[in-house]
Amino acid sequence: MMARFGIALLGLLGRLPLPVLRALGAFIGRALFLLAARRRKVALRNLEVCFPDVSPAQRHAWARESFEVFCQTFLDRGWLWAGSEALVRSRVRLTGALHELEGDAPTIVFAPHFYSMDAGGLALPLNTQREFTSIFATHPDPVQDAWFMAGRQRFGNVRMLNRADGVKPILSTLRKGGLLYLLPDMDYGPNDSVFVPFFAVPQVATIPSLSRFARLGRAKVVALYSRMTPDGYVAELTPAWEHFPTDDAVADTARMNRELEAAILTMPSQYYWVHRRFKTRPEGEPPVY
């Protein structure tokens, strides 16, 4: 019942003028930054190890802003997933190398965990009729799981694949000329991970799925970086990465992290710093948290 109430409340809040909704999100975010001590410590620690040369005051400001953006983008789901198509189109723009969506070449969209990723996930099917596939993990609450699924599939030809279903349906979609929306920049544990640099941390557990799927699916890779703006969202599509993939999955994964670093530097407070990105450590290395 609480989940249903929360979803209904978000739908009502989504009808507010965007500046009012964003102000509410910022207020909740500032309160959450004070109250959610464990996640606050995770965000501050992540920023500390990634940006050791940045002042503690700046890292603290980024962390606080990160909580605000988290809450603002969460509240925005009220109109992203329940507002009219015209409203969503007026607030969500897709820019950049749009020509990469033309034709039927197998294409992987590297979509890292910026808080605006759900807006980016809608920007693509609003601007292409190509089959669009994303990988998900089932939410333990069936009401919330249904809400996530319906929201992310509301426009275009979108299919959500469960991570537990394996790689065969993913590769099948790619080889038929589909788009794969891939978010491989979290710490998914030691299984299948390789250790590559990320910012100032020299050995970070990262899954090499971007390189792997690109090779097996004979796909090009583009990146989609989604940014929250005062007027809504802008999702920027990059040109296809040159010389990717290679035969070296570790080198490819290190390059993926470098590409992500460059994007984060343009909007450091909008990245998902509340995730324990460095929880998996190389053998013999001390814990980060």
Side-chain angles (χ1 to χ4, degrees):
M1 289 298 295
M2 288 301 296
R4 294 183 189 278
F5 173 78
I7 292 168
L9 178 60
L10 282 175
L12 291 174
L13 291 175
R15 300 178 183 179
L16 292 172
L18 188 58
V20 176
L21 188 63
R22 290 283 174 79
L24 177 61
F27 174 79
I28 297 172
R30 288 191 291 271
L32 192 64
F33 184 69
L34 295 175
L35 297 173
R38 189 169 71 91
R39 286 297 173 183
R40 181 181 69 244
K41 291 176 181 178
V42 168
L44 288 169
R45 181 59 175 153
N46 284 339
L47 289 164
E48 179 185 15
V49 298
C50 287
F51 301 99
D53 297 328
V54 171
S55 71
Q58 179 63 78
R59 295 198 300 262
H60 189 275
W62 283 344
R64 186 188 66 250
E65 291 166 11
S66 180
F67 273 69
E68 293 177 16
V69 175
F70 168 77
C71 291
Q72 289 170 320
T73 56
F74 188 83
L75 292 185
D76 278 352
R77 286 173 174 158
W79 59 266
L80 278 170
W81 290 354
S84 68
E85 180 176 339
L87 176 67
V88 176
R89 285 186 179 275
S90 71
R91 293 179 177 176
V92 179
R93 293 191 298 117
L94 183 65
T95 65
L98 303 186
H99 64 276
E100 299 289 3
L101 300 177
E102 298 172 359
D104 58 359
T107 303
I108 299 176
V109 180
F110 170 53
H113 282 76
F114 290 99
Y115 291 122
S116 304
M117 59 187 175
D118 279 313
L122 291 184
L124 281 175
L126 280 171
N127 288 275
T128 179
Q129 292 302 309
R130 292 176 63 180
E131 185 175 0
F132 177 73
T133 301
S134 187
I135 304 170
F136 74 98
T138 302
H139 193 281
D141 184 325
V143 174
Q144 292 189 56
D145 187 64
W147 180 57
F148 282 119
M149 292 286 286
R152 290 167 177 164
Q153 296 180 95
R154 64 179 307 217
F155 300 126
N157 184 14
V158 178
R159 183 168 65 137
M160 303 294 291
L161 296 175
N162 196 309
R163 188 174 291 117
D165 293 336
V167 303
K168 287 185 178 180
I170 299 170
L171 295 178
S172 175
T173 298
L174 269 179
R175 289 172 177 172
K176 292 177 182 177
L179 300 172
L180 172 62
Y181 193 73
L182 194 64
L183 301 87
D185 59 314
M186 296 283 97
D187 187 335
Y188 293 105
N191 294 338
D192 299 323
S193 290
V194 297
F195 288 92
V196 293
F198 182 56
F199 282 113
V201 186
Q203 296 291 315
V204 178
T206 310
I207 56 172
S209 58
L210 185 64
S211 175
R212 179 188 183 194
F213 287 145
R215 287 200 316 275
L216 294 177
R218 298 183 288 276
K220 65 180 180 181
V221 170
V222 300
L224 186 71
Y225 301 128
S226 301
R227 180 190 305 268
M228 190 187 75
T229 69
D231 300 325
Y233 296 91
V234 173
E236 183 177 1
L237 196 69
T238 72
W241 293 0
E242 295 183 354
H243 313 299
F244 192 99
T246 69
D247 293 330
D248 188 338
V250 175
D252 286 348
T253 306
R255 177 182 174 184
M256 180 192 81
N257 278 358
R258 292 194 301 272
E259 299 279 356
L260 175 56
E261 289 172 16
I264 289 173
L265 289 174
T266 70
M267 44 178 166
S269 63
Q270 297 204 28
Y271 190 61
Y272 202 77
W273 296 114
V274 295
H275 170 69
R276 295 173 72 238
R277 182 65 184 87
F278 310 107
K279 63 186 177 183
T280 301
R281 301 291 291 146
E283 186 175 354
E285 291 291 321
V288 169
Y289 306 102

PDB file of all heavy atoms in Angstrom, residues 133-137 152 159-164 166 170 180-183 209 213:
ATOM      1  N   THR A 133      16.575  -2.121 -26.449  1.00  0.00           N
ATOM      2  CA  THR A 133      16.633  -3.128 -25.396  1.00  0.00           C
ATOM      3  C   THR A 133      17.471  -2.624 -24.233  1.00  0.00           C
ATOM      4  O   THR A 133      18.512  -1.990 -24.435  1.00  0.00           O
ATOM      5  CB  THR A 133      17.246  -4.436 -25.931  1.00  0.00           C
ATOM      6  OG1 THR A 133      16.455  -4.907 -27.020  1.00  0.00           O
ATOM      7  CG2 THR A 133      17.287  -5.502 -24.854  1.00  0.00           C
ATOM      8  N   SER A 134      17.007  -2.898 -23.028  1.00  0.00           N
ATOM      9  CA  SER A 134      17.778  -2.572 -21.836  1.00  0.00           C
ATOM     10  C   SER A 134      17.759  -3.774 -20.901  1.00  0.00           C
ATOM     11  O   SER A 134      16.852  -4.612 -20.956  1.00  0.00           O
ATOM     12  CB  SER A 134      17.209  -1.338 -21.127  1.00  0.00           C
ATOM     13  OG  SER A 134      18.051  -0.939 -20.067  1.00  0.00           O
ATOM     14  N   ILE A 135      18.761  -3.853 -20.049  1.00  0.00           N
ATOM     15  CA  ILE A 135      18.901  -4.964 -19.108  1.00  0.00           C
ATOM     16  C   ILE A 135      18.532  -4.462 -17.721  1.00  0.00           C
ATOM     17  O   ILE A 135      18.917  -3.371 -17.319  1.00  0.00           O
ATOM     18  CB  ILE A 135      20.345  -5.495 -19.121  1.00  0.00           C
ATOM     19  CG1 ILE A 135      20.750  -5.892 -20.546  1.00  0.00           C
ATOM     20  CG2 ILE A 135      20.490  -6.694 -18.187  1.00  0.00           C
ATOM     21  CD1 ILE A 135      22.221  -6.205 -20.695  1.00  0.00           C
ATOM     22  N   PHE A 136      17.791  -5.265 -16.981  1.00  0.00           N
ATOM     23  CA  PHE A 136      17.350  -4.842 -15.664  1.00  0.00           C
ATOM     24  C   PHE A 136      17.472  -5.992 -14.672  1.00  0.00           C
ATOM     25  O   PHE A 136      17.610  -7.146 -15.042  1.00  0.00           O
ATOM     26  CB  PHE A 136      15.890  -4.376 -15.716  1.00  0.00           C
ATOM     27  CG  PHE A 136      14.895  -5.505 -15.857  1.00  0.00           C
ATOM     28  CD1 PHE A 136      14.232  -6.013 -14.754  1.00  0.00           C
ATOM     29  CD2 PHE A 136      14.641  -6.073 -17.098  1.00  0.00           C
ATOM     30  CE1 PHE A 136      13.333  -7.060 -14.886  1.00  0.00           C
ATOM     31  CE2 PHE A 136      13.747  -7.120 -17.245  1.00  0.00           C
ATOM     32  CZ  PHE A 136      13.086  -7.617 -16.133  1.00  0.00           C
ATOM     33  N   ALA A 137      17.441  -5.627 -13.395  1.00  0.00           N
ATOM     34  CA  ALA A 137      17.325  -6.596 -12.315  1.00  0.00           C
ATOM     35  C   ALA A 137      15.981  -6.384 -11.637  1.00  0.00           C
ATOM     36  O   ALA A 137      15.552  -5.248 -11.426  1.00  0.00           O
ATOM     37  CB  ALA A 137      18.465  -6.426 -11.308  1.00  0.00           C
ATOM     38  N   ARG A 152       9.684   2.798 -18.043  1.00  0.00           N
ATOM     39  CA  ARG A 152      10.803   2.719 -18.972  1.00  0.00           C
ATOM     40  C   ARG A 152      10.416   2.170 -20.336  1.00  0.00           C
ATOM     41  O   ARG A 152      11.198   2.255 -21.281  1.00  0.00           O
ATOM     42  CB  ARG A 152      11.920   1.869 -18.349  1.00  0.00           C
ATOM     43  CG  ARG A 152      12.591   2.592 -17.184  1.00  0.00           C
ATOM     44  CD  ARG A 152      13.469   1.709 -16.341  1.00  0.00           C
ATOM     45  NE  ARG A 152      14.134   2.497 -15.299  1.00  0.00           N
ATOM     46  CZ  ARG A 152      14.726   1.982 -14.225  1.00  0.00           C
ATOM     47  NH1 ARG A 152      14.717   0.673 -14.038  1.00  0.00           N
ATOM     48  NH2 ARG A 152      15.299   2.780 -13.340  1.00  0.00           N
ATOM     49  N   ARG A 159      12.148  -3.102 -25.122  1.00  0.00           N
ATOM     50  CA  ARG A 159      12.036  -4.408 -24.468  1.00  0.00           C
ATOM     51  C   ARG A 159      13.035  -4.462 -23.324  1.00  0.00           C
ATOM     52  O   ARG A 159      14.218  -4.147 -23.500  1.00  0.00           O
ATOM     53  CB  ARG A 159      12.316  -5.533 -25.457  1.00  0.00           C
ATOM     54  CG  ARG A 159      12.143  -6.928 -24.843  1.00  0.00           C
ATOM     55  CD  ARG A 159      12.141  -8.008 -25.912  1.00  0.00           C
ATOM     56  NE  ARG A 159      13.400  -8.107 -26.601  1.00  0.00           N
ATOM     57  CZ  ARG A 159      13.993  -9.275 -26.898  1.00  0.00           C
ATOM     58  NH1 ARG A 159      13.425 -10.421 -26.558  1.00  0.00           N
ATOM     59  NH2 ARG A 159      15.137  -9.302 -27.545  1.00  0.00           N
ATOM     60  N   MET A 160      12.565  -4.828 -22.138  1.00  0.00           N
ATOM     61  CA  MET A 160      13.424  -4.971 -20.972  1.00  0.00           C
ATOM     62  C   MET A 160      13.792  -6.436 -20.807  1.00  0.00           C
ATOM     63  O   MET A 160      12.924  -7.313 -20.779  1.00  0.00           O
ATOM     64  CB  MET A 160      12.709  -4.468 -19.714  1.00  0.00           C
ATOM     65  CG  MET A 160      12.229  -3.031 -19.788  1.00  0.00           C
ATOM     66  SD  MET A 160      13.573  -1.829 -19.875  1.00  0.00           S
ATOM     67  CE  MET A 160      14.263  -1.981 -18.234  1.00  0.00           C
ATOM     68  N   LEU A 161      15.093  -6.715 -20.708  1.00  0.00           N
ATOM     69  CA  LEU A 161      15.583  -8.070 -20.532  1.00  0.00           C
ATOM     70  C   LEU A 161      16.136  -8.235 -19.118  1.00  0.00           C
ATOM     71  O   LEU A 161      16.895  -7.393 -18.647  1.00  0.00           O
ATOM     72  CB  LEU A 161      16.681  -8.377 -21.547  1.00  0.00           C
ATOM     73  CG  LEU A 161      16.274  -8.365 -23.021  1.00  0.00           C
ATOM     74  CD1 LEU A 161      17.493  -8.572 -23.908  1.00  0.00           C
ATOM     75  CD2 LEU A 161      15.235  -9.447 -23.300  1.00  0.00           C
ATOM     76  N   ASN A 162      15.749  -9.321 -18.472  1.00  0.00           N
ATOM     77  CA  ASN A 162      16.252  -9.599 -17.134  1.00  0.00           C
ATOM     78  C   ASN A 162      17.690 -10.079 -17.210  1.00  0.00           C
ATOM     79  O   ASN A 162      18.031 -10.923 -18.048  1.00  0.00           O
ATOM     80  CB  ASN A 162      15.377 -10.650 -16.445  1.00  0.00           C
ATOM     81  CG  ASN A 162      15.605 -10.694 -14.952  1.00  0.00           C
ATOM     82  OD1 ASN A 162      16.738 -10.790 -14.485  1.00  0.00           O
ATOM     83  ND2 ASN A 162      14.522 -10.626 -14.194  1.00  0.00           N
ATOM     84  N   ARG A 163      18.541  -9.533 -16.336  1.00  0.00           N
ATOM     85  CA  ARG A 163      19.945  -9.923 -16.325  1.00  0.00           C
ATOM     86  C   ARG A 163      20.096 -11.428 -16.145  1.00  0.00           C
ATOM     87  O   ARG A 163      21.043 -12.035 -16.643  1.00  0.00           O
ATOM     88  CB  ARG A 163      20.678  -9.178 -15.205  1.00  0.00           C
ATOM     89  CG  ARG A 163      22.182  -9.367 -15.215  1.00  0.00           C
ATOM     90  CD  ARG A 163      22.876  -8.494 -14.174  1.00  0.00           C
ATOM     91  NE  ARG A 163      22.797  -7.085 -14.522  1.00  0.00           N
ATOM     92  CZ  ARG A 163      22.182  -6.177 -13.815  1.00  0.00           C
ATOM     93  NH1 ARG A 163      21.544  -6.506 -12.703  1.00  0.00           N
ATOM     94  NH2 ARG A 163      22.162  -4.913 -14.200  1.00  0.00           N
ATOM     95  N   ALA A 164      19.138 -12.046 -15.443  1.00  0.00           N
ATOM     96  CA  ALA A 164      19.212 -13.487 -15.192  1.00  0.00           C
ATOM     97  C   ALA A 164      18.967 -14.317 -16.447  1.00  0.00           C
ATOM     98  O   ALA A 164      19.238 -15.526 -16.462  1.00  0.00           O
ATOM     99  CB  ALA A 164      18.204 -13.872 -14.114  1.00  0.00           C
ATOM    100  N   GLY A 166      20.554 -14.182 -19.192  1.00  0.00           N
ATOM    101  CA  GLY A 166      21.779 -14.464 -19.911  1.00  0.00           C
ATOM    102  C   GLY A 166      21.973 -13.593 -21.142  1.00  0.00           C
ATOM    103  O   GLY A 166      21.216 -12.649 -21.394  1.00  0.00           O
ATOM    104  N   ILE A 170      20.164 -10.877 -25.635  1.00  0.00           N
ATOM    105  CA  ILE A 170      20.823  -9.584 -25.857  1.00  0.00           C
ATOM    106  C   ILE A 170      21.525  -9.587 -27.206  1.00  0.00           C
ATOM    107  O   ILE A 170      21.377  -8.668 -28.012  1.00  0.00           O
ATOM    108  CB  ILE A 170      21.826  -9.295 -24.726  1.00  0.00           C
ATOM    109  CG1 ILE A 170      21.102  -9.217 -23.381  1.00  0.00           C
ATOM    110  CG2 ILE A 170      22.597  -8.009 -25.001  1.00  0.00           C
ATOM    111  CD1 ILE A 170      22.028  -9.176 -22.198  1.00  0.00           C
ATOM    112  N   LEU A 180      21.119  -1.497 -27.900  1.00  0.00           N
ATOM    113  CA  LEU A 180      21.242  -2.011 -26.541  1.00  0.00           C
ATOM    114  C   LEU A 180      21.659  -0.873 -25.623  1.00  0.00           C
ATOM    115  O   LEU A 180      22.696  -0.246 -25.830  1.00  0.00           O
ATOM    116  CB  LEU A 180      22.279  -3.133 -26.474  1.00  0.00           C
ATOM    117  CG  LEU A 180      22.637  -3.637 -25.061  1.00  0.00           C
ATOM    118  CD1 LEU A 180      21.403  -4.231 -24.377  1.00  0.00           C
ATOM    119  CD2 LEU A 180      23.766  -4.666 -25.130  1.00  0.00           C
ATOM    120  N   TYR A 181      20.850  -0.599 -24.611  1.00  0.00           N
ATOM    121  CA  TYR A 181      21.102   0.455 -23.626  1.00  0.00           C
ATOM    122  C   TYR A 181      21.807  -0.208 -22.448  1.00  0.00           C
ATOM    123  O   TYR A 181      21.196  -0.981 -21.704  1.00  0.00           O
ATOM    124  CB  TYR A 181      19.757   1.051 -23.208  1.00  0.00           C
ATOM    125  CG  TYR A 181      19.804   2.347 -22.435  1.00  0.00           C
ATOM    126  CD1 TYR A 181      20.121   3.537 -23.067  1.00  0.00           C
ATOM    127  CD2 TYR A 181      19.455   2.384 -21.086  1.00  0.00           C
ATOM    128  CE1 TYR A 181      20.109   4.740 -22.381  1.00  0.00           C
ATOM    129  CE2 TYR A 181      19.435   3.589 -20.386  1.00  0.00           C
ATOM    130  CZ  TYR A 181      19.768   4.763 -21.035  1.00  0.00           C
ATOM    131  OH  TYR A 181      19.746   5.952 -20.344  1.00  0.00           O
ATOM    132  N   LEU A 182      23.101   0.074 -22.297  1.00  0.00           N
ATOM    133  CA  LEU A 182      23.927  -0.678 -21.352  1.00  0.00           C
ATOM    134  C   LEU A 182      24.497   0.243 -20.282  1.00  0.00           C
ATOM    135  O   LEU A 182      25.049   1.307 -20.590  1.00  0.00           O
ATOM    136  CB  LEU A 182      25.067  -1.374 -22.113  1.00  0.00           C
ATOM    137  CG  LEU A 182      25.838  -2.453 -21.372  1.00  0.00           C
ATOM    138  CD1 LEU A 182      24.926  -3.634 -21.028  1.00  0.00           C
ATOM    139  CD2 LEU A 182      27.007  -2.948 -22.230  1.00  0.00           C
ATOM    140  N   LEU A 183      24.394  -0.197 -19.024  1.00  0.00           N
ATOM    141  CA  LEU A 183      24.855   0.585 -17.877  1.00  0.00           C
ATOM    142  C   LEU A 183      25.850  -0.254 -17.066  1.00  0.00           C
ATOM    143  O   LEU A 183      25.511  -0.793 -16.008  1.00  0.00           O
ATOM    144  CB  LEU A 183      23.667   1.001 -16.986  1.00  0.00           C
ATOM    145  CG  LEU A 183      22.575   1.845 -17.624  1.00  0.00           C
ATOM    146  CD1 LEU A 183      21.518   0.979 -18.308  1.00  0.00           C
ATOM    147  CD2 LEU A 183      21.899   2.717 -16.576  1.00  0.00           C
ATOM    148  N   SER A 209      31.592  -5.881 -19.875  1.00  0.00           N
ATOM    149  CA  SER A 209      30.483  -6.262 -20.754  1.00  0.00           C
ATOM    150  C   SER A 209      30.372  -5.374 -21.987  1.00  0.00           C
ATOM    151  O   SER A 209      29.909  -5.828 -23.034  1.00  0.00           O
ATOM    152  CB  SER A 209      29.165  -6.236 -19.976  1.00  0.00           C
ATOM    153  OG  SER A 209      28.926  -4.957 -19.417  1.00  0.00           O
ATOM    154  N   PHE A 213      30.077  -7.409 -25.353  1.00  0.00           N
ATOM    155  CA  PHE A 213      28.883  -7.379 -26.194  1.00  0.00           C
ATOM    156  C   PHE A 213      29.181  -6.742 -27.551  1.00  0.00           C
ATOM    157  O   PHE A 213      28.608  -7.138 -28.566  1.00  0.00           O
ATOM    158  CB  PHE A 213      27.757  -6.628 -25.502  1.00  0.00           C
ATOM    159  CG  PHE A 213      27.121  -7.372 -24.358  1.00  0.00           C
ATOM    160  CD1 PHE A 213      26.674  -6.705 -23.235  1.00  0.00           C
ATOM    161  CD2 PHE A 213      26.956  -8.743 -24.415  1.00  0.00           C
ATOM    162  CE1 PHE A 213      26.085  -7.378 -22.178  1.00  0.00           C
ATOM    163  CE2 PHE A 213      26.371  -9.442 -23.368  1.00  0.00           C
ATOM    164  CZ  PHE A 213      25.943  -8.759 -22.251  1.00  0.00           C
TER     165      PHE A 213
END
